[in-house]
Amino acid sequence: MLFGSLFFGSVLFGASELETIMKERNLSEKDILAAAKTYQPSGRKDDFIVFSSGGQSGQVIVYGVPSMRILKYIGVFTPEPWQGYGYDEESKKVLAGGNIRGKQITWGDTHHPNFSEKNGEYVGDFLFINDKANPRVAVINLHDFETTQIVANPVIKSEHGGSFVTPNTEYVIEASQYASPLDNEYHPIDEYEAVYRGAVTLWKFDYANGRIDEKNSFTLELPPYWQDLSDAGKGESFGWAFTNSINSEMYTGGIEKGLPPFEAGVSRNDTDFMHIYNWQILEKLAKDSKNYKIINGHKVISIKAAVDAGALFLIPEPKSPHGVDVTPDGRYIIVGGKLDTHASVYDFKKIKQMIDKKEFAAKDPFGIPILDLKKALHGQVELGLGPLHTTFDAKDGIVYTSLYVDSQVVKWDYKNLKVLDRVNVHYNIGHLDTMEGKSAKPIGKYAIALDKLSIDRFNPVGPLHPQNHQLIDISGAKMELTYDMPIPLGEPHDVISISASKLKPAMTYKMGTNSRTGKQHEAMTLAGQERVERDGKNVKVYATVVRSHINPEHIEVNKDDNVTIYLTNLERAQDETHGFGIDLYNIHASIEPGKTASVNFIADMEGVFPYYCTEFCSALHLEMMGYLYVKDPNKKYESAKNSQLKTLSPDALKAEYEKVIATNKATDDVIQSVVKFLKEKGYEKYPRVKELVIDALDQYGKIGEVKAKADAAAKSGDLNNAILWEYQVWQYLVKTADVGLRAKNNLVRELSTPMSEAASRGEKAYLTGGCNGCHVIGQVSSGPDLTGVLLRHENGEKFVFDFIKDPAKFYEDEYIKSMINYFNLRMPNQHMKDNEIKDIIEYLKWIDENAGLN
Amino acid sequence: MLFGSLFFGSVLFGASELETIMKERNLSEKDILAAAKTYQPSGRKDDFIVFSSGGQSGQVIVYGVPSMRILKYIGVFTPEPWQGYGYDEESKKVLAGGNIRGKQITWGDTHHPNFSEKNGEYVGDFLFINDKANPRVAVINLHDFETTQIVANPVIKSEHGGSFVTPNTEYVIEASQYASPLDNEYHPIDEYEAVYRGAVTLWKFDYANGRIDEKNSFTLELPPYWQDLSDAGKGESFGWAFTNSINSEMYTGGIEKGLPPFEAGVSRNDTDFMHIYNWQILEKLAKDSKNYKIINGHKVISIKAAVDAGALFLIPEPKSPHGVDVTPDGRYIIVGGKLDTHASVYDFKKIKQMIDKKEFAAKDPFGIPILDLKKALHGQVELGLGPLHTTFDAKDGIVYTSLYVDSQVVKWDYKNLKVLDRVNVHYNIGHLDTMEGKSAKPIGKYAIALDKLSIDRFNPVGPLHPQNHQLIDISGAKMELTYDMPIPLGEPHDVISISASKLKPAMTYKMGTNSRTGKQHEAMTLAGQERVERDGKNVKVYATVVRSHINPEHIEVNKDDNVTIYLTNLERAQDETHGFGIDLYNIHASIEPGKTASVNFIADMEGVFPYYCTEFCSALHLEMMGYLYVKDPNKKYESAKNSQLKTLSPDALKAEYEKVIATNKATDDVIQSVVKFLKEKGYEKYPRVKELVIDALDQYGKIGEVKAKADAAAKSGDLNNAILWEYQVWQYLVKTADVGLRAKNNLVRELSTPMSEAASRGEKAYLTGGCNGCHVIGQVSSGPDLTGVLLRHENGEKFVFDFIKDPAKFYEDEYIKSMINYFNLRMPNQHMKDNEIKDIIEYLKWIDENAGLN
């Protein structure tokens, strides 16, 4: 046991390694517990996957819980070259969906990610994310973690309260933020009340096609109150949705004119308004043109039509509300007032009763009925300074609320209106999530605090700090902060989490897939179909990529040609992505196994431009290249004098040919020995190993064709080409061996005896004691191979013990004498302790047990 | 002790928490040790900082060791909106430096990061990084972690072997990869030997100005051998540099014509060439025009001139070399041949002797002297399949080499030519680094394996996998894999590491700094200097940003105006970054404290466009906004009918005014109590707390001005504006309180007694046992406040113990009776165990000790 000393005192084994590390690194026992709760050993998967908005990076961030390791940044609103996003033609089409008024927008301010839902529970098919800066919503397909659609809102100018999903993903909700005219014209600010409007758009989602159906979507006009966050009702409140607001004052600022700034005027009222609306009624209104206007080609239901149909109400919310979170059962709505110290728990049952009875306290200036705050409340709880967002536990009634000013997470009971626990976070927390916390079936277990300031938490990296996502263990009575994770890019605004088991992404594509549509690409190119097609100035190149060459390797076009290169990755093996970049031409594609992607450019620069695989796809990835030639058809080129490669003599060629044949034979022998090992050990029982063997056989299977070319060249006396083709055979052999050895290593790990603690200590003693100065395991070196040494001697363990303890005693032993003679070296006394020698013997036993595996 | 059971068996305290977690999470003791070696508690800083290239993301990644947490992605060749990189005017100028032939390139394939050096040791001033896709080199200023310069290579078309630094940062080396014509014209591939060339560019670095001096830089022409990696000599080999190559075959491919692909032909020869050149001699040659040609405005020294001057030599390298790594003392050069199983150790002393004696084995077709391989070798060691890169340990002679095909790191002794240890990595490792491993003074300690495939290591995130950087503890005799870190964005190619103590980045800017030049921005705007300047169609807005308003809040321009908005962040507090985005206009700036940045756009869309602070800078960050109005000067606008805000009655106004005055008074009282606490406890002794207090006072200091406006308005009878200005007073009070409370919390943490293990267990027992159902610490609730309970009773500890143990016994006690009366509740028997009660008493003691701090 490594922890021997902890269990048995330090007499036997000296200070334990754990104690030593704790002392060295100044870690408390609490730290060790936190480490144990979050650490993932190599290859171990996380239980939950978190999708975080990337703020102004315009991306979505994916990370694992509890390890808090970031797994992926998904390009959404911002071009990202690693993924080819915005650099290949397929993704450019997705991004173009987000153009507004015909103009390209190359960034976004991603805010609220949400999953597709069924009965209010998360389904790991799609993720929706909104752009606060430019009112847009994107759809990410969770089958390949790629953005497949962006829709631009035609009427609102800025938003915040998207993208919230109704319980069966009927609609994606997008609420405006700063009130603006819904048309695209100039209107001065003194027409604020007359012309400026808020709005909430209900985007219809076509689940089967995985796309937002823009034609069947519509918008509800709202007063210019600066709508903020939203949430969809569920269970008891199914069919309804809730959107709060922060400027019921309708203040219009003007610091530059000597007026108080927005922050003063917008915070004047003690209450703002929650908007309560029924999307099922609105859906019906949107079917009759008398209820809506068409603005910028889009249906906008008027406030009046909604009010008349009983689909829109207001209810006051305490000072500058922020979060509006519906409880898992849909019965309550919890609102945090960021300038109030309370959270308010609204009871939807009471709200519904007042609506049904038409019991209204007042009407707002736009004619919307206002419900009485006190009558709608289940109650209020004093939480602290700056309560913002609330998320839920699996335990009934237990919730967690973020306190921005107090920099705390507070755990409380919204049914019994009681605070239960608090934990400090670092610093100024915004959103907060628990596992599946906003679904109809929260899991709880962990909470994630999205701290807006990190200040002193991490090593300094300049004035622009990383954000800090803190992991809190909420499984016990007391919340415990266990991990600080810096966010290296973007200022995440909100996260949403899902059980890892609910995600089942594909790891390769069906051959020839256009990943942005999910359908077969019209330019899918299989091996042997590579070609160049020209039609006037339009040049289409149908290319393939596979370890380790691009076909074609030379592409010649005329200056100003419109060139499209379609690339199909012929690999079937996981993680065998190829990239494609052309120097200076500013294009890049990431082509995962089975994908077809294309790049397009006008060849407006003359010259020679290398292209290459930008992924380190194999040992010879640097050799995976080609040249693009752009020739000016109006120019006369003088031919440079070609120097000539020295040609080899026939004898030299023959010698080289024989050499490469021999090399290939030797390499194939290695492969056959690996194959034999794999078969004997029953590799097929181990899925991971089996997959690697399939990949290796893919590589091996390509040899026949090139070997035939080599043989044909040799037969026709063209030894030079025969040699080159034999080198290509060798390339495939090397790749087969590469993957085959990885398969073998995996199998060995599956089959090998785990090393005992004693053997592990023994290995260390062996190395520290310098045994490896002369001995190499598995080889005769300056000393004999120690594999089998325990078996070579009668009573082997005792012999080896005594020999290590005092070698000189044996110098006259006949066998030892012969060894000394052979190696011309005497085994020295390394002054090992008894327990070290015992451990070394355990190590030697382990070597013998696993000797057949190497 | 939390680990009680480990120390004392499970009798006393039940199964230990660590054991429980280990069982639940299926962690071995080895896993716990690895966790303990890598975990960082909240706020703890890492020992080393790693800078990683971001591959095709075009960025640089910064992370900490041993925690393996990514701290920052730095935008380099690719625009990145979070940092405003490529979205504000200052950074656009930096990116424009990377234009090639006048064309913008919006991505890069970053490859080899290197630090500025002094005597071959790392200096944390600058980081250099090259772009393999488009031959460019960037300079990152490590004083703020921003990219400040990009230079484009005028002659080479693709590169790989940059950016390596000479020992005193005299030059940054950039070597070409795929041979191409050095001019910009078309040349067919059959002119390969005649016209296509490799090259190595020596970029002169002006350290004082932190910029590459393009005019004093030059290039050395090389044969078209596909130059690959490079390294600068040092110590014994100072003045020399080394660049290897992989296509000495000068094979030109042609799979589309039925010829074997590049990978076959390029791997034909058993050896390629290392280029050995002397940059001190070349520097002199570059001063005399007879030695160079000017190509695209840049000096290119001919092969002949270099050979004639004794500045260029070749030496064979075994099959498809990759890494070329100079030992810390500069004496040896270690080369891995990726299709060879050996590493070759060249002895520079032997090389230098041959050069001095002009002892050449042959000449290449370009007239370059070739040295004899065997005579130049110190020796070769069989390492395994696919040896690539070598990095160094603090221990003399000890090195680590990556094996791509074997997926291993091998530790060996390059002096005694002996393998010492191996560790498996997952999978297919490329580059490898040890701490400061490539400097003249390696630290060793940790190694980082850059695995090109991660396959089964992480939760699946679709066909495009994260990379895997594995941390290996190399401090012991045996290497130990301790952490797997996924890289979420980009395929990093290489890393370089530095002691955290060598980096001293600024955390704020001097007021008005243009961060891309480091100088004062010509448009620095201080508070009160905000203004709009018009000159025909050119509109310049001088704006400021500060918690929580942008000044101005309304900007009106005419359609097609050329608008520039200069933004100065007036904050002095760390981490108080403001962002600036205008909806739909596709601009974004990140303005850290003290920075001045600008955005520019043509106002070509008519309408109303909100702008806002994109950072969650304070509780009221949503209120930090304004409106841009774009009016068409050729259009007539009809005025919409303004509705009127309800005006309040004089009485109502008076009541509201008095209310806000009272609120402000109450808020100020809180602030004063915090100030009193801070002063009494001597906050000035704690730098972190002091800094927060300064920030709080900054906020507080702004009150005077707005309070004066409020009072003036009140005096003139304009109660409405008086109220609004009082709300602005309140905003500042709230922000002061926010930061002040954070200061107080920090101070409390500095001062409070650490909770003992027993007290910590007691807190848990208190919560689990349900004590908090009636008692709230610090407050009278359904039961009495327990603060001081131990002191309220004689022999308090015994009394509390007995009372918890069996409350019924005390129901008739006079004092208890009165309490039962008061609260109308009897203390129930919670059936706590004796040791739980003892722990709770420890917890109560801890509360009393720290009662004065809350």
Side-chain angles (χ1 to χ4, degrees), chain A residues 210-234:
Chain A
R211 294 181 68 82
I212 286 172
D213 174 359
E214 296 181 67
K215 288 213 170 121
N216 282 309
S217 303
F218 57 89
T219 290
L220 169 63
E221 176 194 19
L222 292 175
Y225 294 159
W226 291 16
Q227 285 69 29
D228 194 23
L229 275 161
S230 307
D231 203 1
K234 56 194 159 205

Side-chain angles (χ1 to χ4, degrees), chain A residues 39 133 263 270 583 659 735, chain B residues 133 263 270 482 583 659 735:
Chain A
Y39 181 78
E263 59 173 317
D270 280 345
D583 293 337
K659 194 178 142 207
K735 279 161 216 155
Chain B
E263 59 174 317
D270 280 344
T482 53
D583 293 339
K659 191 176 144 211
K735 280 161 215 155

Side-chain angles (χ1 to χ4, degrees), chain B residues 719-737:
Chain B
L719 270 197
N720 197 59
N721 262 321
I723 289 166
L724 284 166
W725 283 119
E726 286 292 345
Y727 275 109
Q728 184 59 26
V729 169
W730 187 58
Q731 291 304 336
Y732 286 124
L733 289 168
V734 167
K735 280 161 215 155
T736 306

Side-chain angles (χ1 to χ4, degrees), chain A residues 436-474:
Chain A
E436 300 203 6
K438 295 158 197 160
S439 76
K441 281 207 181 144
I443 296 173
K445 208 164 172 181
Y446 302 101
I448 297 168
L450 274 66
D451 306 325
K452 306 325 289 174
L453 302 181
S454 65
I455 314 179
D456 56 359
R457 293 292 96 181
F458 305 115
N459 293 72
V461 290
L464 184 58
H465 288 57
Q467 300 286 301
N468 187 7
H469 284 201
Q470 290 187 301
L471 184 71
I472 301 165
D473 178 356
I474 57 169

Side-chain angles (χ1 to χ4, degrees), chain A residues 25 39 72 103 133-134 158 179 263 270 428 478 482 549 583-584 604 616 622 627 659 735 742 763, chain B residues 36 39 103 133-134 158 178-179 263 270 428 464 478 482 491 549 583 604 627 659 735 742 763:
Chain A
R25 300 199 62 234
Y39 181 78
K72 200 173 221 171
K103 290 184 70 169
N134 313 285
S158 97
E263 59 173 317
D270 280 345
N428 293 70
K478 183 148 183 58
T482 53
H549 51 268
D583 293 337
L584 279 55
D604 54 3
F616 204 142
L622 286 180
Y627 285 103
K659 194 178 142 207
K735 279 161 216 155
R742 206 156 67 217
E763 186 183 21
Chain B
Y39 181 78
K103 291 184 70 169
N134 313 286
S158 97
Y178 306 119
E263 59 174 317
D270 280 344
N428 294 68
L464 184 59
K478 184 148 183 58
T482 53
E491 186 212 19
H549 51 268
D583 293 339
D604 55 2
Y627 285 103
K659 191 176 144 211
K735 280 161 215 155
R742 206 157 67 216
E763 185 183 22

Side-chain angles (χ1 to χ4, degrees), chain A residues 485-496:
Chain A
M485 173 178 64
I487 297 287
L489 172 58
E491 188 212 16
H493 185 84
D494 188 16
V495 298
I496 194 150

